[in-house]
């Protein structure tokens, strides 16, 4: 169809392609780095320390074979160790080179543009609410206490997973972190980064006997507002519900 070639998506893909002919000549936009460049900190927010993870003795191959998107969950609480394992799978630190904190998931240029937020509905040891995961300190900062699952679900086009799951992961991007190095092509990398993180969490959930579902359908700025994000310097790009399967 003619709309395909002129669509914003195709124009973007074309405009951000690398080719042998242009790789050295093509002008890259000059984008100032994010300030502060470091991982986000919520100074003064109440903190929930995450227990250290004892990796379950589970086979990657089994998890790959058996993973399916699970959208129905049982009532009940997830324990904090299990939540910690899921978080670690997504963004745990596994190495260090200079100031770079290397993670379980790869990141283009080791720039780590993705921040992890949680909507906790039912976890033993963490009251329901909205949280931010502090990567270097390995703790959760409580941003707002309360039952936000339904509100998040309404903003995710009414998807009940958001209030029935024990926890919903909400991943935002701070595009400048990656765009300052890669220009607009960096947008491609940001979504790839998020997908790596999400898949780690999905496979970890499978290994732990939980069910999970990635969520791409949501009203962007409505979810941004819930987490106090401006939608430009930082914007939510992906969600995943994780719960005890029915
Ligand atoms: C980028 C992306 C966005 C998705 N968004 C949603 C969503 O909003 N709601 C939903 O129920 N499933 C969503 N899914 C799950 C897909 O429907 C699911 O992965 C697909 O049907 C294949 O099934 P499987 O995951 O069980 O293999 C999404 C998956 C991806 C990769």
């Amino acid at each position: 169809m003619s709309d395909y070639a002129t669509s914003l998506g195709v124009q973007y893909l074309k405009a951000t392609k690398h080719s042998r002919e242009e790789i050295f000549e093509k002008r890259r936009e000059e984008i100032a780095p994010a300030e502060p460049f470091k991982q986000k900190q919520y100074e003064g927010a109440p903190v929930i320390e995450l227990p250290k993870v004892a990796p379950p003795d589970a086979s990657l191959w089994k998890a790959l074979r058996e993973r399916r998107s699970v959208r129905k969950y049982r009532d009940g609480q997830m324990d904090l160790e299990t939540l910690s394992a899921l978080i670690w799978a997504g963004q745990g630190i596994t190495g260090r080179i200079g100031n770079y904190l290397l993670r379980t998931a790869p990141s283009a240029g080791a720039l780590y543009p993705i921040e992890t937020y949680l909507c906790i509905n039912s976890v033993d040891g963490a009251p329901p609410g909205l949280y931010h995961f502090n990567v270097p300190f390995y703790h959760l900062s409580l941003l707002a206490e309360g039952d936000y699952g339904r509100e998040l679900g309404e903003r995710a086009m009414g998807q009940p997973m958001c209030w029935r799951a024990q926890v919903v992961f909400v991943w935002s991007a701070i595009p400048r972190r990656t765009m300052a190095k890669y220009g607009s092509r960096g947008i491609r990398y940001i979504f790839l980064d998020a997908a790596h993180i999400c898949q780690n969490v999905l496979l970890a959930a499978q290994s732990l006997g939980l069910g999970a579902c990635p969520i791409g359908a949501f009203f962007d700025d409505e979810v941004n507002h819930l987490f106090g994000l401006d939608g430009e310097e930082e914007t939510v790009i992906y969600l995943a519900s994780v719960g005890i399967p029915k």
Side-chain angles (χ1 to χ4, degrees):
M1 298 287 274
S2 58
D3 284 354
Y4 177 72
T6 55
S7 69
L8 193 57
V10 169
Q11 295 304 312
Y12 169 77
L13 287 175
K14 280 188 182 165
T16 57
K17 273 182 183 169
H18 280 335
S19 71
R20 287 176 188 277
E21 295 72 37
E22 291 183 344
I23 188 95
F24 297 117
E25 280 102 65
K26 204 166 174 181
R27 193 190 152 274
R28 187 171 56 68
E29 306 99 316
E30 283 186 18
I31 294 168
E35 278 303 334
F37 185 74
K38 296 190 306 250
Q39 215 64 35
K40 271 183 93 168
Q41 311 279 344
Y42 284 87
E43 302 285 349
V47 159
I48 297 210
E49 299 293 346
L50 290 165
K52 292 283 169 284
V53 175
D57 186 17
S59 148
L60 171 65
W61 304 104
K62 189 168 182 291
L64 285 170
R65 196 172 55 241
E66 294 179 356
R67 185 209 63 80
R68 278 280 79 80
S69 291
V70 173
R71 300 176 178 83
K72 294 198 169 147
Y73 308 106
R74 272 199 286 121
D75 290 343
Q77 283 199 310
M78 179 184 284
D79 58 46
L80 200 56
E81 286 73 20
T82 302
L83 179 64
S84 178
L86 293 167
I87 292 170
W88 185 86
Q91 280 290 265
I93 295 173
T94 50
R96 200 178 279 263
I97 300 178
N99 289 331
Y100 290 92
L101 301 177
L102 304 175
R103 320 274 170 88
T104 47
S107 173
L111 292 165
Y112 303 105
I114 306 300
E115 295 283 333
T116 301
Y117 296 85
L118 302 175
C119 174
I120 290 184
N121 293 325
S122 185
V123 171
D124 190 10
L130 304 178
Y131 292 82
H132 171 259
F133 169 53
N134 184 313
V135 179
F137 289 97
Y138 202 66
H139 67 219
L140 297 177
S141 303
L142 177 60
L143 308 182
E145 193 172 339
D147 290 316
Y148 284 94
R150 195 165 283 272
E151 214 170 313
L152 179 61
E154 292 309 329
R155 293 164 195 231
M157 308 202 176
Q159 301 194 66
M161 291 100 82
C162 293
W163 62 86
R164 301 225 171 103
Q166 274 67 24
V167 61
V168 183
F169 282 72
V170 176
W171 290 290
S172 73
I174 299 184
R176 276 182 196 276
R177 287 185 185 158
T178 300
M179 291 179 75
K181 178 167 186 190
Y182 297 112
S184 288
R185 187 177 170 85
I187 295 287
R188 295 170 178 240
Y189 300 157
I190 288 167
F191 285 90
L192 295 171
D193 271 35
H196 292 306
I197 294 169
C198 181
Q199 179 73 348
N200 280 6
V201 172
L202 301 182
L203 290 174
Q206 182 65 35
S207 296
L208 292 163
L210 300 167
C213 184
I215 300 174
F218 54 88
F219 298 113
D220 300 64
D221 280 338
E222 293 190 16
V223 181
N224 284 329
H225 288 150
L226 194 61
F227 286 87
L229 309 180
D230 69 358
E232 188 171 305
E233 291 294 330
E234 182 172 1
T235 189
V236 170
I237 60 172
Y238 208 11
L239 277 60
S241 54
V242 186
I244 305 164
K246 213 165 198 172

